[in-house]
Amino acid sequence: MAKILVVEDNHDYQELLQNFLESAKHEITPAGDDVSALALLSRHSFDLILLDIMLPGNDGFDICEKIRAQGNTTPVVMLTALDNESYQMRGYKLRIDDYITKPVSMPLLLHKVEAILRRTIPAVSRDAHDALHFEDITLDLRTHTVHICDTDVAFTLREFEILQELMQEPGSVVTRKSLIEKLWGYDFYGDTRIVDTHMKNIRKKLGVSDYIETIRGVGYKLRKDNSQFKNKPEGGSLL
């Protein structure tokens, strides 16, 4: 899993990129203009930047020039409808790693992105990105396996995805709405209690390693001190 900054002002295309890359288990941060992109780059580190050229304010070339001037060597892939050779040459002079013209198939884009990541992320860092850890729980994102107290425990794909969302931001509340939208899709019209059903199964499998706290009417979060929550029934006073 890599941390990717997607700089794209077309909301629909930005959402398409984010959903597809997240389905490949990458962590995506979106930005719609030069100001938000540069602000994010000043506060966070990324493994790769997907950069549109035609943006409000300063364009993608200006953004790339500024980050390179600051000594930032993060790989940059320009993803744009501008296919003129002069634009491509300008990009490569700014030390971009690839120049991809739209439209491009999402699977091909993913292959190009991951090829760059294999070259630029050290093996040790890749291993760190490929697993999530919380207390005595480990999620292996490559094999989709869950290790609890060094024991492999079988999780369904949906259970794994829900636990992954919680473990990516320990201590932060993950709402039922966000889980529904991200894992089931924005057009899901079923019963939102399906999340609670999956959570009940997850808690059974975690056993004494159940660090999940229910936030009544909102969602769930992970907490380190789980002693007061152990063995609490799902339908108890905590819900």
Side-chain angles (χ1 to χ4, degrees), residues 9 11 53 60 64-65 71 110 138 140 187 200 216 224 229 238:
D9 66 320
H11 178 74
I53 293 178
C64 190
E65 186 172 11
L110 178 62
T138 298
D140 189 319
D187 56 352
K200 184 181 296 185
R216 184 190 294 271
K224 290 193 174 183
F229 296 98
L238 291 171

Side-chain angles (χ1 to χ4, degrees), residues 74-238:
T74 302
V76 173
V77 174
M78 284 190 163
L79 181 60
T80 175
L82 301 175
D83 60 357
N84 188 287
E85 183 177 326
S86 64
Y87 289 119
Q88 298 180 45
M89 294 299 294
R90 183 179 175 186
Y92 284 115
K93 285 180 181 178
L94 292 170
R95 304 193 304 280
I96 66 170
D97 294 80
D98 204 348
Y99 190 106
I100 302 174
T101 55
K102 303 172 185 174
V104 59
S105 74
M106 291 296 106
L108 178 59
L109 175 64
L110 178 62
H111 280 299
K112 287 177 173 287
V113 163
E114 294 190 335
I116 293 171
L117 292 171
R118 283 194 297 272
R119 295 196 304 268
T120 57
I121 300 179
V124 173
S125 297
R126 285 202 301 271
D127 291 342
H129 285 313
D130 286 340
L132 294 175
H133 306 275
F134 184 84
E135 298 292 328
D136 50 12
I137 306 169
T138 298
L139 262 66
D140 189 319
L141 302 176
R142 295 170 300 177
T143 61
H144 269 235
T145 53
V146 181
H147 311 281
I148 303 172
C149 298
D150 297 323
T151 300
D152 288 354
V153 179
F155 274 61
T156 67
L157 175 59
R158 190 66 78 204
E159 291 165 359
F160 183 95
E161 290 174 336
I162 291 172
L163 187 56
Q164 179 181 348
E165 291 300 310
L166 291 169
M167 290 180 64
Q168 283 177 337
E169 294 190 68
S172 298
V173 177
V174 177
T175 67
R176 290 179 177 85
K177 180 181 178 182
S178 68
L179 288 171
I180 287 289
E181 290 179 348
K182 187 167 185 178
L183 302 182
W184 278 267
Y186 289 95
D187 56 352
F188 177 79
Y189 294 107
D191 191 339
T192 59
R193 286 178 297 181
I194 190 172
V195 175
D196 302 320
T197 300
H198 283 292
M199 196 64 70
K200 184 181 296 185
N201 294 332
I202 291 170
R203 282 175 153 158
K204 286 179 181 178
K205 293 178 180 182
L206 292 176
V208 296
S209 296
D210 178 9
Y211 298 95
I212 300 172
E213 177 183 354
T214 302
I215 309 301
R216 184 190 294 271
V218 181
Y220 303 90
K221 72 175 182 178
L222 288 181
R223 55 177 294 139
K224 290 193 174 183
D225 178 16
N226 71 327
S227 58
Q228 62 176 308
F229 296 98
K230 288 181 180 178
N231 302 318
K232 289 283 186 179
E234 181 73 14
S237 59
L238 291 171

